[in-house]
Amino acid sequence: MTASESSGSVVRRILLGSQLRRLRESRGITREAAGYSIRASESKISRMELGRVSFKARDIEDLLTLYGVTDETERAALLGLAREANVAGWWHSYGDVLPGWFQTYVGLEGAASHIACYEVQFVHGLLQTEGYAQAVVTRGQPHACDTEVERRVALRMERQKLLVSERAPEFHVVLDEAALRRPYGGPEVMRGQLRHLLAVSEQSNVILQVMPFSFGGHAGESGAFTMLRFPESDLPDVVYLEQLTGALYLDKRDEVVQYERVMERMGADSLSPAKSRDLLRALLQNT
């Protein structure tokens, strides 16, 4: 199984969930009634429609009958989508160190055609060197054993293969200057990280900009965020907001638009990619 196939399963799960929701709403059926028809709770229907659980063929068949979908071609297409949505992602092998709420993000990240993000605390995970990632994980998980740290770092390195894959997304990252000046792992690790950023910034699919201290206050006042866009027209853009013990996924258009505007302003106000590289070189000389 390729990474794109396993990542695509997350997208298919969300697509199927949204189609089930539209069918239910078009018939005026409540989530409670839909849950009763498959011997489940209202909350399970909600999780299914959000694409956050796997699907049983029997449940889909019963729901399609309840929603009046009798055309065999349409039923077969939706059941096929359910089978594809249940494909386990490559990241499931890291389930021992990967929180359930982050698994959805890894799948969406792998399926995105465009990723835009702002980071303030540290370098984005897709751009971290192994040494830097180890320092970040160790700082964030002070009680983790060596094996757990190694597993978390390995997961991060596996995610990074996305940027050089055949279907690599466009990746636009704005790093606050604080992320570049905050030391993780000592001078040699930081030098390696800065050199890596310089190299990655030359990739044709990567736009790396730095928001300098000299600019003062800026549009990213609410903190770090990531925006994901997908090639599937039926799938809305998603804003991902990570928290200490969970995450928020925003897909309402009016909310997403606000983050799009913030990202546009930050792109305009940050240093250009060329000047950002100049700053990286200056920091490298002084580290």
Side-chain angles (χ1 to χ4, degrees):
M1 183 198 312
T2 66
S4 62
E5 286 172 340
S6 59
S7 296
S9 66
V10 175
V11 171
R12 291 180 177 90
R13 200 164 65 221
I14 294 173
L15 288 173
L16 178 57
S18 66
Q19 291 187 45
L20 290 174
R21 184 185 70 247
R22 286 195 293 269
L23 287 170
R24 177 182 60 78
E25 292 176 345
S26 70
R27 290 284 177 167
I29 297 172
T30 65
R31 280 193 292 265
E32 183 179 9
Y36 181 81
S37 74
I38 62 169
R39 302 153 298 280
S41 64
E42 177 183 353
S43 63
K44 180 177 179 179
I45 294 297
S46 177
R47 292 195 299 274
M48 289 175 68
E49 292 181 350
L50 291 171
R52 294 179 181 171
V53 293
S54 58
F55 299 97
K56 294 180 180 178
R58 178 183 173 184
D59 290 344
I60 301 301
E61 290 174 346
D62 290 347
L63 287 174
L64 293 179
T65 299
L66 177 66
Y67 301 157
V69 179
T70 57
D71 182 80
E72 287 303 320
T73 301
E74 186 176 0
R75 289 175 68 93
L78 291 171
L79 286 167
L81 192 59
R83 285 192 297 273
E84 295 170 357
N86 286 334
V87 174
W90 62 263
W91 54 88
H92 285 199
S93 63
Y94 291 93
D96 55 325
V97 295
L98 185 62
W101 51 266
F102 193 60
Q103 292 185 25
T104 298
Y105 173 76
V106 175
L108 292 175
E109 179 183 73
S113 58
H114 181 83
I115 302 173
C117 56
Y118 167 60
E119 285 288 354
V120 61
Q121 175 73 9
F122 34 63
V123 172
H124 191 277
L126 289 180
L127 301 177
Q128 294 179 6
T129 64
E130 187 171 350
Y132 184 95
Q134 185 173 30
V136 170
V137 171
T138 301
R139 186 76 57 84
Q141 305 288 332
H143 302 297
C145 64
D146 291 345
T147 300
E148 181 179 343
V149 171
E150 291 175 4
R151 293 277 290 161
R152 290 179 180 274
V153 172
L155 168 63
R156 198 158 299 181
M157 296 301 103
E158 189 69 27
R159 282 172 55 204
Q160 293 183 8
K161 293 179 181 179
L162 174 67
L163 292 183
V164 293
S165 66
E166 291 183 0
R167 53 173 305 281
E170 296 177 355
F171 184 57
H172 181 195
V173 56
V174 173
L175 296 177
D176 196 284
E177 186 174 342
L180 302 175
R181 291 186 177 275
R182 191 179 303 281
Y184 278 97
E188 187 55 39
V189 169
M190 287 303 299
R191 283 193 290 269
Q193 180 62 70
L194 292 169
R195 284 193 292 266
H196 181 65
L197 289 175
L198 280 167
V200 174
S201 71
E202 298 286 358
Q203 290 181 207
S204 60
N205 62 313
V206 175
I207 298 175
L208 188 154
Q209 293 182 268
V210 177
M211 173 59 73
F213 287 151
S214 59
F215 187 80
H218 55 76
E221 59 187 7
S222 62
F225 64 90
T226 299
M227 298 177 58
L228 304 166
R229 183 170 299 153
F230 308 93
E232 293 80 6
S233 59
D234 290 342
L235 198 63
D237 295 351
V238 173
V239 174
Y240 170 77
L241 303 173
E242 187 170 317
Q243 300 171 335
L244 183 61
T245 58
L248 293 176
Y249 295 87
L250 309 179
D251 62 1
K252 291 183 179 179
R253 188 57 195 160
D254 58 338
E255 293 179 323
V256 173
V257 166
Q258 292 188 54
Y259 280 90
E260 287 178 344
R261 290 171 179 164
V262 167
M263 196 66 197
E264 289 174 1
R265 288 172 58 192
M266 294 192 71
D269 295 338
S270 296
L271 298 176
S272 68
K275 290 184 178 180
S276 294
R277 281 190 284 271
D278 289 340
L279 177 58
L280 288 170
R281 294 187 187 98
L283 290 171
L284 184 56
Q285 290 179 350
N286 295 321
T287 299

